[in-house]
Amino acid sequence: MITTGRTIENGDVVRHSVCIVGGGAAGITIARELSGRGRDICMLESGDLDFDVTDQDLYQAERLNPIFPDTTISRLRFFGGSTNHWEGACHPFSEADFEVRSWVPHSGWPFSLKDLDPYYERAHVYCELGEYNYDVGDWAARTSLPLIDFDENKAKSKIQHYSTPTQFGWVYREDLEQDPFTKVYLDSNVVSINVAETGERITSVTVQVLDGARFTIEADLFVLATGGIENARILLASDAVHKNGLGNTYDVVGRYFMEHPIVEGAELYLTGGFDPRFYEFFFYDDRSHLGYLSLSEEVAKKKQLNNIKVALMEQSRYYLSKGISSFNQITEDLKGGEIPDNLWTHAGNIFQEIDMVGEAVYRKLFKSRLLDYSDDMVGYVFDTMIEQTPDKDNRIGLTGERDPLGMQKASIEWSVSERDYENMWRCYEVLAEEVGRLGIGRLQLQRNNKRLLTSQLSFGHHHMGTTRAGTNPRDSVVDGNFKMHDIANLFVAGSSSFPTGGHVPPTLTIVATSIRLSDHLKTLMGGAV
Amino acid sequence: MMSLTRRVIAKVSGAAAFIFLVGQRRSAKALGSATYGFDHLFESHAAANALGAAYVKQYHTSSEELAIQLSDKLSTEHEAVVVRDGVIQSPMPLADLKSLFSSVVKRDFENGNTLNVDGWVLSKTECELCGLVFLSGH
């Protein structure tokens, strides 16, 4: 059933067998998996069934790097969580993502792709994705869409499937409403996880209703599933017994925070024949799919590169105009009181493409198009998701400022290392050699576009790594079962427990690891998995 | 000076590099070979010149060095190809020469024999030829 924390009196203590904190993709998956086993489950959701700006504002955080996206926009705080606005793109992590890679500090998961593979298949059902099949050769054959004939030792075509996208709060709401063993409390914010005096077992969580009661939920097992920032924030704020925060003996909670920066870092211009249809959105079996480019695991290993995911975005003469880009760069630099670097090159670009610069001015002034040919498609932008190397200095912390619940707000320290950007340029070089070899075209790397890594940087809005899994408590927070080290009954679900973030969207892996965790919880609850 | 925009690259390497070879001269009969001037080697002389200028500026090379490099490279493919005095001499028909250049460019990409010129990842051979176009104008 679905109820609200507003029905509970101040100071009440409520008991359940399992308490899941968070009603997003991970929390709902676990609740569904544990349902029907004769144990009463509760799920605590901060928000309501629909968006409410007051609840949403609880995501306010201090962003120490202003280019990091506003968390009150990137996340959603109501039932279903951020699946209420996700894009739906799904692809499992690759085998290498789980391995220790000598060139990626802090890499290596405590389990392998082979261990997770059966759960990916089950995750496909939750995400309404259809057949679990990422064999591009098979997809090319069944759709008759040609693949780029890459040297398999260098580059690969891959395919990602699109969920409808499944809004977990809507799709699984009726099931949870009808479930006699599961109770969803809306409007219920966990402000503290309470540990026994011995420090080894969680006894309860303290729940605060916004402008309402404060009550306690006791349980045997607890699962924290509130996202990559909030998971860390709640653990750090739970400092009654463990003064550095729960599970934070070695100062790991909140650290190694990762995003998926998205950079339009290269442009492909065609000089030969190329059938792009596999690399554009296509429909098959009533679902959307998209082919993309990646490095082969062989070349990534040989050249010691983090992999990338490149979607080809066909673009017009106007969009790709170097004249307009130079014009904007000069304008931005002058506004900032700087003389632009490479001024004469910029001037040359503007001169050569004065028609496009004129088009830009016309569009700004009159909100319409001047030159028909400005919208001719002439090339592709490499829309690139990069894997961020785990970095201890990227971290979620607490500020001194408190939110309306009385909790300290989160602070976010985040940046991308030079090494990670250099990695991206090197990946592009491999792809450039392949498109050149195949006579498809030539690639231009946009290294000189300073705005690319600042004002034009995009994000996957994927928050990962802050309660990373591992075998050593000195550099990880949870173990291979996502159980917190040294705490017997607290588990942390979702991408916060990913040791590395891969180069594809994480939702499918969040759901797969949540199912895996659920199977483990079932064994602890007794009975068959 | 023209900078290396998409329009320039398209005219230099469009439809695979070097298929725009023109300006065939038949004056070198004594050598038993045809002479192909690369002052009109590409679809657009201005485009090749711009790429060549950027390449020379970035990699500080001379006409003599480029001629030697190209001669060496092409001679490994076909012993009679010689680059000197601003022309390419070869007994091969034009079509075969085009094919030879295309295969050299392809092999450049295969072997990672590429250069980054103003952000463009280009075959070293196409850069060298454009460099010669630029330097021969001086």
Side-chain angles (χ1 to χ4, degrees):
Chain A
M1 67 177 290
I2 297 179
T3 181
T4 166
R6 294 188 187 282
T7 60
I8 300 177
E9 297 292 325
N10 197 44
D12 276 2
V13 177
V14 183
R15 173 145 193 95
H16 293 275
S17 292
V18 181
C19 174
I20 301 164
V21 183
I28 289 176
T29 299
I30 294 168
R32 294 289 301 114
E33 284 289 315
L34 299 185
S35 168
R37 306 188 67 81
R39 302 293 185 93
D40 61 320
I41 316 290
C42 81
M43 181 193 293
L44 303 172
E45 165 56 44
S46 165
D48 207 328
L49 288 175
D50 293 306
F51 180 84
D52 180 281
V53 72
T54 316
D55 293 329
Q56 187 67 17
D57 278 350
L58 293 171
Y59 271 136
Q60 280 183 8
E62 182 186 14
R63 291 173 288 140
L64 299 176
N65 181 346
I67 68 168
F68 191 82
D70 184 346
T71 46
T72 64
I73 294 170
S74 62
R75 309 243 71 72
L76 283 176
R77 205 174 180 105
F78 64 100
F79 189 56
S82 297
T83 64
N84 287 298
H85 69 175
W86 72 307
E87 186 189 30
C90 288
H91 193 292
F93 281 16
S94 63
E95 197 172 341
D97 290 328
F98 295 88
E99 295 171 349
V100 175
R101 289 167 283 163
S102 60
W103 63 96
V104 183
H106 314 293
S107 59
W109 288 50
F111 49 86
S112 67
L113 174 62
K114 195 177 169 192
D115 295 326
L116 198 57
D117 217 32
Y119 302 101
Y120 272 127
E121 191 158 5
R122 288 163 65 184
H124 251 233
V125 178
Y126 275 96
C127 296
E128 303 175 296
L129 284 163
E131 181 188 357
Y132 180 58
N133 179 1
Y134 290 86
D135 181 335
V136 283
D138 187 43
W139 279 95
R142 66 170 72 176
T143 58
S144 301
L145 299 179
L147 298 174
I148 297 174
D149 188 22
F150 285 128
D151 175 344
E152 284 191 359
N153 291 316
K154 292 187 176 175
K156 278 185 175 172
S157 298
K158 293 188 177 177
I159 186 169
Q160 65 184 15
H161 304 308
Y162 280 81
S163 170
T164 47
T166 305
Q167 293 176 287
F168 279 56
W170 283 105
V171 172
Y172 300 110
R173 179 174 161 180
E174 192 176 338
D175 286 349
L176 289 165
E177 274 176 337
Q178 305 298 326
D179 186 343
F181 299 106
T182 304
K183 197 167 190 176
V184 178
Y185 295 92
L186 303 170
D187 310 307
S188 299
N189 301 280
V190 169
V191 293
S192 173
I193 300 174
N194 307 313
V195 64
E197 282 186 12
T198 58
E200 294 167 353
R201 190 169 186 83
I202 306 301
T203 55
S204 63
V205 292
T206 302
V207 181
Q208 177 70 57
V209 175
L210 202 57
D211 300 323
R214 176 173 282 229
F215 61 92
T216 300
I217 300 271
E218 292 181 345
D220 300 321
L221 298 171
F222 293 85
V223 179
L224 187 58
T226 59
I229 294 174
E230 293 295 299
N231 279 353
R233 180 188 178 206
I234 292 171
L235 291 171
L236 292 171
S238 302
D239 58 359
V241 173
H242 297 268
K243 296 303 177 190
N244 291 332
L246 200 52
N248 199 28
T249 308
Y250 298 105
D251 189 23
V252 184
V253 172
R255 292 191 179 272
Y256 303 100
F257 178 53
M258 297 170 290
E259 244 279 10
H260 277 138
I262 298 174
V263 187
E264 294 186 353
E267 292 168 8
L268 170 65
Y269 296 100
L270 303 181
T271 56
F274 167 57
D275 185 338
R277 287 175 297 157
F278 189 80
Y279 307 91
E280 296 170 343
F281 283 100
F282 63 90
F283 289 91
Y284 184 86
D285 205 12
D286 293 331
R287 289 183 172 86
S288 295
H289 314 271
L290 177 71
Y292 66 88
L293 317 183
S294 208
L295 298 195
S296 70
E297 297 204 343
E298 291 81 0
V299 82
K301 192 170 185 178
K302 185 177 166 191
K303 291 180 177 276
Q304 305 205 325
L305 296 169
N306 298 14
N307 215 334
I308 56 174
K309 176 171 85 77
V310 175
L312 296 180
M313 310 299 281
E314 191 175 22
Q315 296 294 356
S316 66
R317 193 184 303 277
Y318 179 80
Y319 187 90
L320 294 174
S321 166
K322 290 288 176 292
I324 295 173
S325 178
S326 287
F327 183 78
N328 288 335
Q329 183 71 67
I330 289 174
T331 308
E332 196 169 282
D333 284 350
L334 291 178
K335 275 183 186 168
E338 290 177 38
I339 302 294
D341 296 338
N342 305 314
L343 183 59
W344 291 111
T345 303
H346 287 310
N349 289 344
I350 292 170
F351 177 72
Q352 275 192 73
E353 300 196 324
I354 194 69
D355 53 345
M356 289 301 110
V357 176
E359 171 77 22
V361 172
Y362 187 88
R363 287 189 187 195
K364 186 147 193 167
L365 289 176
F366 302 108
K367 312 289 181 206
S368 66
R369 190 175 62 183
L370 176 65
L371 305 167
D372 284 344
Y373 67 83
S374 64
D375 283 338
D376 289 350
M377 294 298 173
V378 292
Y380 292 85
V381 162
F382 271 26
D383 187 70
T384 308
M385 180 173 281
I386 67 176
E387 178 187 5
Q388 198 173 7
T389 302
D391 178 351
K392 199 172 184 183
D393 291 334
N394 283 337
R395 65 180 302 201
I396 304 302
L398 298 177
T399 67
E401 195 183 347
R402 291 186 183 270
D403 71 6
L405 300 168
M407 271 188 89
Q408 287 178 277
K409 291 184 177 178
S411 65
I412 302 168
E413 279 185 76
W414 179 89
S415 62
V416 186
S417 69
E418 287 294 321
R419 180 193 172 281
D420 284 346
Y421 283 135
E422 191 55 39
N423 178 90
M424 176 184 75
W425 303 123
R426 290 179 60 209
C427 289
Y428 284 155
E429 283 168 6
V430 175
L431 294 173
E433 287 167 6
E434 278 297 280
V435 296
R437 178 184 71 83
L438 293 165
I440 292 171
R442 298 289 185 272
L443 202 66
Q444 188 183 30
L445 316 191
Q446 304 297 307
R447 273 180 184 263
N448 293 331
N449 183 352
K450 288 192 295 178
R451 295 181 306 142
L452 206 66
L453 307 182
T454 53
S455 58
Q456 291 181 343
L457 187 66
S458 297
F459 292 83
H461 304 296
H462 309 143
H463 301 157
M464 304 172 285
T466 54
T467 63
R468 62 200 316 270
T471 53
N472 185 350
R474 289 179 183 275
D475 59 17
S476 61
V477 176
V478 298
D479 66 14
N481 288 318
F482 286 9
K483 183 189 81 65
M484 186 163 274
H485 294 304
D486 302 327
I487 304 277
N489 60 340
L490 176 60
F491 298 82
V492 187
S495 53
S496 70
S497 294
F498 294 3
T500 50
H503 54 282
V504 296
T507 306
L508 186 68
T509 305
I510 289 172
V511 176
T513 52
S514 296
I515 299 169
R516 182 174 180 272
L517 168 57
S518 302
D519 277 5
H520 178 66
L521 294 173
K522 288 173 197 172
T523 63
L524 298 179
M525 291 161 67
V529 171
Chain B
M1 187 178 74
M2 185 184 274
S3 58
L4 281 189
T5 62
R6 171 189 58 80
R7 291 172 182 178
V8 168
I9 297 298
K11 286 174 180 172
V12 172
S13 49
F18 314 112
I19 68 165
F20 300 108
L21 272 167
V22 292
Q24 185 176 348
R25 299 177 195 167
R26 293 284 179 190
S27 58
K29 286 180 184 170
L31 290 171
S33 58
T35 302
Y36 307 100
F38 47 69
D39 53 340
H40 297 101
L41 210 56
F42 302 99
E43 181 190 27
S44 161
H45 176 84
N49 196 59
L51 198 162
Y55 164 68
V56 169
K57 184 181 169 193
Q58 205 168 322
Y59 292 92
H60 308 290
T61 189
S62 68
S63 181
E64 291 73 22
E65 279 178 299
L66 286 178
I68 292 166
Q69 283 169 22
L70 270 173
S71 291
D72 288 350
K73 188 179 298 182
L74 297 174
S75 296
T76 62
E77 303 292 329
H78 194 291
E79 58 186 30
V81 177
V82 176
V83 179
R84 70 180 178 208
D85 299 333
V87 294
I88 298 170
Q89 294 175 337
S90 169
M92 283 191 282
L94 183 58
D96 290 354
L97 193 57
K98 289 177 194 174
S99 175
L100 171 63
F101 280 127
S102 291
S103 64
V104 173
V105 168
K106 184 179 175 187
R107 196 164 314 139
D108 275 354
F109 282 114
E110 263 171 12
N111 297 331
N113 206 8
T114 55
L115 293 173
N116 187 313
V117 182
D118 275 8
W120 292 98
V121 180
L122 303 168
S123 143
K124 195 172 179 203
T125 305
E126 65 189 354
C127 292
E128 288 167 347
L129 261 174
C130 290
L132 274 175
V133 170
F134 170 70
L135 290 170
S136 67
H138 285 245

